[in-house]
Amino acid sequence: MTAVLERTEAVYRRYTAAMADTTVKVDPAVRDRLMVLARERGMTMRDLIAELAGATPTQEELRRRYEETKAYCETHFGVTLTDEDHDRVEKVWQDLEAGRPVDSL
């Protein structure tokens, strides 16, 4: 019996064409933290990353959510939010995140 060896590139191409997975390179500390988080939740790191990606909104999703919330407030509460209101609230959030004192809205 004669074994035929295939070139590594050909095997790799066939393998990756059939797979939907992607390798992501991160620092070992990040990898280890992801593993701990996954274990604490009783899931694989693959499932944890999928969950994190699904739970993190894109900028477009955040913009759409803002517009929907603004429209809801106007319709149900009669409150019209201006761009100045938005900017003031954004500053309050930034101050809170930075640990700075916050003036009332």
Side-chain angles (χ1 to χ4, degrees), residues 54-73:
T56 306
T58 64
Q59 289 297 314
E60 175 59 26
E61 291 166 338
L62 289 172
R63 186 199 60 73
R64 190 170 50 245
R65 186 184 303 170
Y66 170 77
E67 293 299 329
E68 290 169 357
T69 302
K70 183 177 174 183
Y72 184 89
C73 289

Side-chain angles (χ1 to χ4, degrees), residues 15 22 27 34 39 44 52 58 62 69 72 91 93 104:
Y15 171 78
T22 298
D27 291 330
L34 288 169
R39 284 185 182 147
T44 65
L52 291 172
T58 64
L62 289 172
T69 302
Y72 184 89
K91 182 175 180 336
W93 278 117
S104 74

